[in-house]
């Protein structure tokens, strides 16, 4: 079942359950996926769907950080609930140890020696971890291994 079909089913379920938070998030996700399809002019591949979901998740995480900084606990709590809904559609996330192992393998693979090779390592490791790990975690792990 494609992501759009899943979103449609979940939207119907949320409507029947009168779950306003889930319904609004599912609608936003469906809209984002459909907009991406229109922009690209074809049905989305799994990688493209994950990219859309990752973008939506990142936006919400950034919003939570801003709301917390501004002392808006009400908006922060609402956005955290939205994050929970978005995460249901994301691929399973890798643990920190799994990310560290993949990054270590990639560092050895590209022959990175110092921080000067940071871009080369990130360019090689991000396609491997697309949607399976938070970019900040990957970035920090690469920095730690290249010190």
């Amino acid at each position: 079942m494609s992501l759009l079909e899943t979103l449609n089913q979940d939207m119907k379920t949320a409507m029947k359950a009168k779950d306003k938070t889930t319904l609004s998030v599912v609608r936003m996700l469906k809209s984002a996926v459909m907009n991406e399809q229109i922009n690209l002019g074809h049905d989305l591949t799994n990688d493209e769907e994950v990219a859309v979901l990752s973008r939506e998740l990142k936006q919400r995480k950034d919003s939570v950080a801003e709301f917390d900084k501004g002392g808006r606990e009400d908006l922060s709590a609402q956005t955290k609930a939205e994050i929970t809904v978005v995460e249901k559609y994301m691929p399973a996330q890798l643990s920190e140890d799994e990310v560290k192992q993949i990054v270590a393998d990639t560092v050895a693979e590209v022959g990175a020696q110092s921080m000067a090779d940071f871009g080369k390592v990130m360019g090689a490791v991000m396609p491997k971890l697309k949607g399976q790990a938070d970019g900040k975690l990957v970035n920090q792990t690469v920095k730690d291994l290249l010190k």
Side-chain angles (χ1 to χ4, degrees):
M1 187 181 315
S2 76
L3 179 60
L4 272 178
E5 291 169 349
T6 304
L7 290 172
N8 279 328
Q9 289 296 324
D10 291 351
M11 193 166 68
K12 290 175 190 173
T13 305
M15 281 180 191
K16 289 176 183 174
K18 297 188 185 326
D19 183 352
K20 290 181 181 180
T21 302
T22 301
L23 180 60
S24 70
V25 173
V26 169
R27 281 182 173 155
M28 282 189 272
L29 291 175
K30 183 179 174 196
S31 174
V33 169
M34 291 178 74
N35 285 337
E36 191 72 10
Q37 272 186 339
I38 291 167
N39 289 341
L40 296 176
H42 61 80
D43 288 344
L44 300 181
T45 64
N46 281 343
D47 287 342
E48 291 167 338
E49 288 175 346
V50 168
V52 171
L53 291 172
S54 296
R55 185 172 53 233
E56 293 293 319
L57 185 62
K58 183 179 184 323
Q59 286 175 353
R60 283 167 178 75
K61 286 183 177 182
D62 291 346
S63 294
V64 166
E66 290 299 316
F67 292 147
D68 287 344
K69 196 180 342 177
R72 295 295 309 264
E73 294 303 318
D74 55 330
L75 294 174
S76 178
Q78 179 183 348
T79 307
K80 286 177 183 174
E82 291 178 5
I83 288 172
T84 305
V85 174
V86 175
E87 286 176 338
K88 287 194 305 189
Y89 301 101
M90 294 289 294
Q93 298 293 296
L94 297 174
S95 71
E96 201 169 321
D97 291 335
E98 291 170 319
V99 170
K100 192 175 281 188
Q101 182 61 47
I102 291 170
V103 169
D105 293 345
T106 305
V107 167
E109 192 179 291
V110 299
Q113 300 295 320
S114 66
M115 282 301 289
D117 298 321
F118 179 80
K120 195 184 325 179
V121 173
M122 286 299 288
V125 80
M126 285 312 288
K128 296 178 183 178
L129 297 174
K130 189 113 180 125
Q132 296 178 325
D134 182 45
K136 290 178 184 175
L137 172 64
V138 176
N139 186 314
Q140 189 59 48
T141 304
V142 171
K143 285 180 181 176
D144 291 345
L145 290 175
L146 290 179
K147 284 184 179 174

